[in-house]
Amino acid sequence: MTNRLSATVGRIVKPKGIKRRWLARSITVTFAIVIVGVLAYAFAISRYYYSGMQVSLVMKARTATDFFANYSTRTYTEYYQSAYLYTERFDDRDKLELQFIGPGGRIEASTYGITAGSSPDSP
């Protein structure tokens, strides 16, 4: 009895009988299909929210650039004052950093108070 028990400890127990094998395979296939479905759903939801956030950020950037391109670019002083006021009143300043970068690639104004004249860390 002891020899039989020790011989079966290391082996994988396979279901015996056609009914048990069919049941095991059906459960395995069903489980695999459910996993693939859940992964596909999670991927679709993440793409939906990512594209929504991207569109929202692009629209905010376009609104700001259109405002500065059309209304406040008469002189550099007006531009700088408008940029500074815009960063001070920026609604999402606790969630998003807004930087105004000049033609030389230097920061003009920032919502996080980054020193003007420094280069941004992002590309």
Side-chain angles (χ1 to χ4, degrees), residues 78-96:
E78 289 177 3
Y79 161 76
Y80 184 75
Q81 288 174 346
S82 297
Y84 181 76
L85 287 174
Y86 195 85
T87 57
E88 289 295 314
R89 297 177 183 161
F90 186 59
D91 292 336
D92 295 328
R93 69 182 301 141
D94 59 331
K95 302 175 207 159
L96 185 67

Side-chain angles (χ1 to χ4, degrees), residues 6 21 31 35 37 40 60 67 69 71 85 87 93-94 98 100 113-115 117 119:
S6 62
R21 284 186 296 210
F31 185 68
I35 292 294
K60 284 182 181 188
F67 171 76
Y71 299 111
L85 287 174
T87 57
R93 69 182 301 141
D94 59 331
L98 174 68
F100 286 92
I114 297 174
T115 308
S119 296

Side-chain angles (χ1 to χ4, degrees), residues 11-53:
R11 291 188 340 199
I12 297 173
V13 179
K14 294 183 180 180
K16 295 179 181 177
I18 193 164
K19 185 177 179 183
R20 288 185 181 168
R21 284 186 296 210
W22 176 81
L23 186 61
R25 288 181 183 153
S26 297
I27 290 174
T28 303
V29 169
T30 303
F31 185 68
I33 289 172
V34 167
I35 292 294
V36 167
V38 167
L39 290 175
Y41 180 74
F43 179 75
I45 292 297
S46 68
R47 293 294 299 163
Y48 172 77
Y49 282 111
Y50 178 79
S51 66
M53 288 187 319

